Amino acid sequence: MEQRDTVGTPRAVGIVWLLLGLNTLGSAGAKTIFPIPRSIIQLVTMGSLVAAFALALALNTRLRIRSSAFLFLLTMLLVPSVISSLQLAVGFGALFRCGRLALFVATLWLVSRWWDGSLTFVRYHIRMYAGVLVTVVAGLLISPGAAMPELYGGRLVGALWPLTPPQIGQYTAVIIGLTVLLLVGRKVDKAGATAVIVPSLVLLALTHTRTATVGLLAGLALAICSLLLSSAAARRFFGWAVLVVTIAAVGFASAVQAWFLRGQTKEYFTSLTGRAKVWDALLSAPRSTVEQFFGVGLGDKSFGGLPIDNSWLAVYNEQGLIGVALVASVILVLGGVAMLRPPSLQRACAIFLISYVAISSYTEAGLGDASPYLLHLALAATLLATPAAATPFVTPAVPRRRVPRWARDREVR
């Protein structure tokens, strides 16, 4: 008998979600304790995507899918990606990235059959990133020097798997926010929530990731506010949160400021750690009409050898204005659907994820390609999906027994 997490959702779907998350971990990052060749890392990440697609196809052999504006828009994003990548302006790697994006979206289409607005995929998401953070903690315990190298200013990195501080900050912020909301909605006990939230907060502090911290606070504020009218627990949490933030802002203002500055000057901080120079150079670079509308092809999210670190400019550079319009439509559609839903825990989780991704998109790239940010938005789409209508049980009609005519005549006599 097939084991299931919830009615109608095979547990193997959670494995598919885990494999999709493994694919988005990337292959570039800090130096690990045990050197891992980049080719091996790419083989693992790409192999996980192929395995996710194969397993999803095996679970959904009849290709039953659910209509989704989110997935339709992602599929449309493949059009400018392919058109621009065929120019080979950034090499054959662009076509490889297009194939990766296509396989990623196809896998989401296959598992969309089980998108029913439940919290099943939220639990998959938390378990997946909690597993990643376990490797970070293990690396920190084995070799603190490798886990907090001077190259990154003493910020926490992945010492067993090459993860950068922004990646770790993103994963911790997302599972903290989702776990807090599950706690407010009484879907997890206090002991279980504490076991996830407290270590994750410590890791977030060690990464010194400002974007993840701001995204977490703003996303949680919006999500909790969406529950204020329908949940007494949300109102209590909001009151305590305001009190704690006020005390921290007044009593620990200098410590908070020092943490946010990370030893940088205020001028360097206001220039977004030098990102503004790359952005100005990208926007002032000459472009043909085709490049302006379709971009130069899927690349490594850099310009002039420097990271772009802005999702909107990265999409504009690689997929053009059409890509920017499609990505904006994804955010607007999900946000609009969330606003139209009645207050619920699922809606609050979706609002948190959409808000976090929208805020992070200003200083992080990834919305135009297979990335954790697209996986966060896919999770929001699962939460906003309406449950499939149950097929009513109809008792099959029993065919009447045909009685020969001679028997009917005998009965009449």
Side-chain angles (χ1 to χ4, degrees), residues 186-200:
R186 299 178 180 178
K187 297 298 182 179
V188 64
D189 57 47
K190 292 182 180 179
T194 302
V196 174
I197 295 172
V198 173
S200 299

Side-chain angles (χ1 to χ4, degrees), residues 20-27 42 45-46 48-49 78 93-107 298-299 301 369-372:
L20 287 177
L22 178 58
N23 172 253
T24 61
L25 292 182
S27 58
Q42 290 176 332
T45 53
M46 279 306 302
S48 66
L49 179 58
L78 287 169
L95 295 176
F96 176 81
R97 293 183 181 93
C98 281
R100 174 176 176 244
L101 179 59
L103 206 59
F104 185 86
V105 175
T107 306
L298 293 183
K301 313 299 176 288
D369 206 345
S371 68

Side-chain angles (χ1 to χ4, degrees), residues 7-95:
V7 176
T9 305
R11 286 188 177 180
V13 175
I15 299 176
V16 174
W17 202 258
L18 171 66
L19 292 171
L20 287 177
L22 178 58
N23 172 253
T24 61
L25 292 182
S27 58
K31 292 183 178 180
T32 55
I33 301 173
F34 310 104
I36 307 174
R38 187 173 181 181
S39 58
I40 298 298
I41 297 174
Q42 290 176 332
L43 181 64
V44 171
T45 53
M46 279 306 302
S48 66
L49 179 58
V50 174
F53 176 77
L55 180 56
L57 191 60
L59 293 171
N60 191 2
T61 53
R62 296 185 180 181
L63 302 181
R64 293 179 178 175
I65 60 176
R66 294 201 61 182
S67 58
S68 170
F70 166 74
L71 290 177
F72 173 76
L73 291 170
L74 283 189
T75 306
M76 292 299 296
L77 186 62
L78 287 169
V79 176
S81 302
V82 172
I83 291 176
S84 59
S85 298
L86 286 174
Q87 303 176 55
L88 299 180
V90 292
F92 286 98
L95 295 176

Side-chain angles (χ1 to χ4, degrees), residues 64-328:
R64 293 179 178 175
I65 60 176
R66 294 201 61 182
S67 58
S68 170
F70 166 74
L71 290 177
F72 173 76
L73 291 170
L74 283 189
T75 306
M76 292 299 296
L77 186 62
L78 287 169
V79 176
S81 302
V82 172
I83 291 176
S84 59
S85 298
L86 286 174
Q87 303 176 55
L88 299 180
V90 292
F92 286 98
L95 295 176
F96 176 81
R97 293 183 181 93
C98 281
R100 174 176 176 244
L101 179 59
L103 206 59
F104 185 86
V105 175
T107 306
L108 290 178
W109 271 114
L110 288 172
V111 298
S112 67
R113 172 186 177 182
W114 294 282
W115 293 5
D116 56 0
S118 69
L119 296 170
T120 302
F121 285 88
V122 172
R123 295 187 174 92
Y124 293 158
H125 217 63
I126 293 175
R127 292 169 191 166
M128 173 179 66
Y129 286 127
V132 174
L133 294 181
V134 167
T135 66
V136 175
V137 174
L140 179 62
L141 295 176
I142 294 172
S143 178
M148 303 183 71
E150 290 297 327
L151 180 63
Y152 283 90
R155 301 168 65 191
L156 181 64
V157 301
L160 295 181
W161 185 273
L163 299 173
T164 61
Q167 283 180 282
I168 300 173
Q170 176 194 166
Y171 304 151
T172 56
V174 168
I175 68 172
I176 289 170
L178 292 176
T179 305
V180 166
L181 291 173
L182 291 181
L183 179 62
V184 171
R186 299 178 180 178
K187 297 298 182 179
V188 64
D189 57 47
K190 292 182 180 179
T194 302
V196 174
I197 295 172
V198 173
S200 299
L201 282 173
V202 174
L203 296 180
L204 178 59
L206 292 176
T207 63
H208 282 258
T209 308
R210 297 175 292 224
T211 300
T213 305
V214 173
L216 169 63
L217 296 176
L220 262 183
L222 292 173
I224 295 296
C225 285
S226 71
L227 292 171
L228 290 180
L229 297 178
S230 59
S231 171
R235 291 191 289 271
R236 288 194 298 270
F237 179 85
F238 186 79
W240 280 106
V242 170
L243 179 61
V244 170
V245 171
T246 302
I247 293 174
V250 175
F252 304 95
S254 58
V256 172
Q257 183 181 19
W259 186 86
F260 266 89
L261 286 177
R262 294 197 312 232
Q264 301 169 349
T265 62
K266 292 185 178 180
E267 291 76 12
Y268 197 57
F269 176 72
T270 54
S271 68
L272 296 172
T273 321
R275 291 182 175 95
K277 296 180 180 179
V278 181
W279 299 348
D280 293 339
L282 188 152
L283 291 174
S284 61
R287 291 176 179 271
S288 65
T289 303
V290 174
E291 290 177 343
Q292 192 168 13
F293 282 93
F294 295 98
V296 298
L298 293 183
D300 58 358
K301 313 299 176 288
S302 66
F303 181 80
L306 296 174
I308 297 175
D309 286 338
N310 181 290
S311 283
W312 304 103
L313 292 179
V315 171
Y316 169 69
N317 182 55
E318 296 182 356
Q319 290 139 312
L321 293 174
I322 296 177
V324 171
L326 288 171
V327 172

Side-chain angles (χ1 to χ4, degrees), residues 379-405:
L379 177 58
T382 70
L383 293 165
L384 297 174
T386 55
T391 304
F393 179 76
V394 180
T395 304
V398 179
R400 295 181 61 184
R401 182 183 176 186
R402 190 172 181 179
V403 182
R405 186 173 181 178

